[in-house]
């Protein structure tokens, strides 16, 4: 995570008062006075804190929260940090229940001993000798039991061996599937990266080739003559069009429902240029998503930017200055570090898996960037976030490349749905027994079934989540 911009809050008047106080002490000691009055008439300014909006590891009796300093106030010496929480006070203070986790400017804290099925209010605090500052309060409810959801993981398609074969279920073969998208009929589209093809899977698991000749190249045309070079991200729109980010060609393709393939934007050469169609340039484009108006947004990973493409192929930059970093703010000042996946909600807000920052960032339609989850001390929460998807209720689903499928609920609580961090393998089954190997792309259908491109297992997996 890039260094935070941390400020001191002293007005010009206060600075002059402070300097005059030091000068008075110096003159007093110079003429042999017994002492000096150390009062500088500087009003103390408490620090400012941020509560990370997303909580983690919520159970019936505990939760993990994190926060960070954004402004020291008038004192650079942190004496305590942690979280305060209450079931009755909507703006808890250090007079309520609290944890204490040290003096770091970025921190996380585990809260234990909570009451099941109870609503709590929580916020972070930072104390200096100038006072205590608080982040915004978040509200959460402990679960009624330790197991409120069940997850069943199965294989929709793929034999597990790298290859190229159409067929049903395990009779089909892929070679490093990267991205997944779902249409309104429940068909799943897959970027079959090293076969240089776009594949289609019906809800019954029947696999066909949707677009591409299989020959490595850079051209549009019909579904059988078009050429790709390591297609990666994939998205669908309401009209049935499919969009593909082509990693090797540094371009974005459009495939209509009748199979016509065109290159919507990108010159075929890595670079950074805004413009129309082939005059624009990308650098290793990854995830992409379509909005309700037909605009396409692209995680331009090599350029550390989020790009926008209109239906006419006009490319602009929505957010990111190009330098790797972790700065929030408007689009012209914010920074990313290897953005990977994109999802969009009904209000037009984008959610970005910022892989190099171990974070999920939020970008408004105006390009204002904020942090949803992930700090320098909570890297293990997301590990290596890749694909991201969102359902109609606003729940986010994340493919953690280290071996897990995660969700962030509409109430901003992070859970592991299936798999285990830093573990590679293959197993269908429950949320505790299922295994993945470098899960990458992720999509969710209207029934909230989740589809994952299990990259190293050369399979497409399906997760069914049941909430009790």
């Amino acid at each position: 995570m890039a260094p935070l911009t941390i400020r001191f809050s002293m007005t010009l008047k206060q600075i002059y008062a402070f300097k005059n106080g030091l000068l008075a002490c110096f003159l007093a000691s110079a003429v042999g006075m017994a002492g000096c009055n150390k009062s500088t008439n500087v009003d103390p300014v408490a620090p400012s804190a941020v509560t990370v909006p997303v909580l983690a590891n919520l159970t019936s009796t505990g939760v993990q929260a994190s926060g960070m300093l954004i402004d020291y106030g008038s004192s650079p010496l942190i004496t305590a940090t942690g979280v305060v929480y209450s079931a009755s006070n909507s703006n808890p203070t250090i007079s309520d229940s609290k944890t204490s986790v040290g003096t770091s400017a970025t921190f996380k804290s585990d809260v234990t001993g909570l009451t099941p099925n109870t609503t709590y209010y929580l916020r972070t605090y930072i104390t200096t000798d100038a006072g205590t500052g608080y982040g915004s309060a978040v509200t959460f409810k402990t679960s009624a039991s330790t197991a409120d959801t069940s997850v069943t993981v199965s294989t929709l398609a793929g034999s597990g061996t790298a290859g190229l074969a159409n067929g049903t279920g395990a009779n089909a073969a892929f070679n490093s599937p990267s991205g997944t998208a779902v249409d309104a009929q429940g068909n799943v589209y897959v970027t079959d990266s090293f076969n240089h093809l776009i594949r289609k899977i019906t809800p019954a698991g029947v696999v066909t080739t949707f677009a591409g000749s299989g020959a490595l190249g850079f051209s549009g045309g019909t579904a059988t003559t078009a050429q790709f070079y390591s297609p990666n991200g994939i998205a669908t729109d309401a009209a049935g069009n499919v969009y593909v980010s082509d990693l090797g060609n540094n371009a974005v393709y459009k495939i209509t429902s009748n199979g016509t393939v065109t290159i919507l934007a990108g010159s075929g050469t890595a670079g950074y240029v805004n413009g129309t169609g082939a005059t624009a340039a990308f650098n290793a484009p990854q995830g992409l998503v379509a909005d309700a108006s037909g605009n396409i947004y692209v995680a331009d990973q090599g350029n550390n930017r989020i790009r926008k493409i209109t239906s006419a192929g006009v490319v602009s930059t929505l957010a990111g200055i190009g330098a790797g970093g972790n700065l929030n703010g408007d689009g012209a000042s914010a920074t990313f570090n290897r953005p990977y996946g994109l999802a969009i909600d009904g209000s037009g807000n984008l959610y970005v898996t910022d892989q190099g920052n171990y974070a999920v960032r939020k970008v408004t339609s105006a390009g204002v960037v904020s942090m949803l989850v992930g700090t320098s001390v909570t890297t293990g929460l997301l590990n290596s976030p890749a694909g991201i998807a969102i359902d109609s209720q606003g729940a986010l689903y994340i493919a953690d490349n280290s071996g897990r499928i995660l969700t962030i609920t509409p109430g901003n609580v992070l859970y592991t749905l299936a798999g285990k961090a830093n573990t590679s393998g293959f197993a269908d089954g429950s949320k505790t027994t299922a295994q993945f190997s470098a899960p990458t792309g992720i999509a969710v259908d209207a029934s909230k079934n989740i589809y994952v491109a299990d990259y190293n297992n050369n399979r497409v997996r399906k997760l069914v989540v049941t909430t009790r």
Side-chain angles (χ1 to χ4, degrees), residues 342-397:
L342 287 178
I344 191 167
D345 67 18
S347 300
N349 298 302
L350 294 172
Y351 299 89
V352 183
T353 49
D354 195 358
Q355 206 165 52
N357 285 318
Y358 316 97
V360 174
R361 314 283 290 282
K362 181 179 179 179
V363 186
T364 69
S365 58
V368 178
V369 180
S370 59
M371 180 263 300
L372 184 66
V373 62
T375 71
S376 60
V377 297
T378 59
T379 57
L381 287 182
L382 300 177
N383 263 32
S384 183
I388 187 169
I390 191 169
D391 68 20
S392 58
Q393 274 68 53
L396 293 168
Y397 304 91

Side-chain angles (χ1 to χ4, degrees), residues 97-188:
S97 299
K98 68 175 183 177
T99 67
S100 183
V101 293
T103 59
S104 173
T106 304
F107 55 92
K108 63 180 178 180
S109 180
D110 291 313
V111 179
T112 59
L114 303 178
T115 303
N117 201 30
T118 301
T119 298
Y120 284 91
Y121 308 95
L122 175 151
R123 57 180 177 169
T124 54
Y125 75 90
I126 296 175
T127 300
T128 69
D129 54 10
T132 299
Y134 299 93
S136 298
V138 296
T139 305
F140 67 97
K141 186 176 183 179
T142 53
S143 56
S145 68
T146 57
D148 285 345
T149 61
S150 65
V151 181
T152 302
V153 180
S154 60
T155 298
L156 179 66
S159 65
T161 301
L164 173 58
N166 289 322
T168 301
N171 293 319
F174 302 89
N175 191 352
S176 303
S178 295
T180 55
V182 184
D183 67 15
Q185 288 71 46
N187 299 299
V188 180

Side-chain angles (χ1 to χ4, degrees), residues 195-257:
N195 281 324
H196 312 295
L197 295 171
I198 311 304
R199 313 289 291 281
K200 179 180 178 179
I201 312 174
T202 69
V206 179
V207 180
T208 56
T209 296
F210 180 67
S213 67
L216 188 154
F218 181 47
S219 66
T222 66
T224 57
T225 61
Q227 294 180 327
F228 301 90
Y229 179 8
S230 296
N232 187 277
I234 190 164
T236 58
D237 67 14
N241 299 303
V242 175
Y243 301 88
V244 175
S245 63
D246 193 307
L247 193 63
N249 284 319
N250 295 290
V252 174
Y253 287 69
K254 178 181 178 179
I255 310 170
T256 65
S257 57

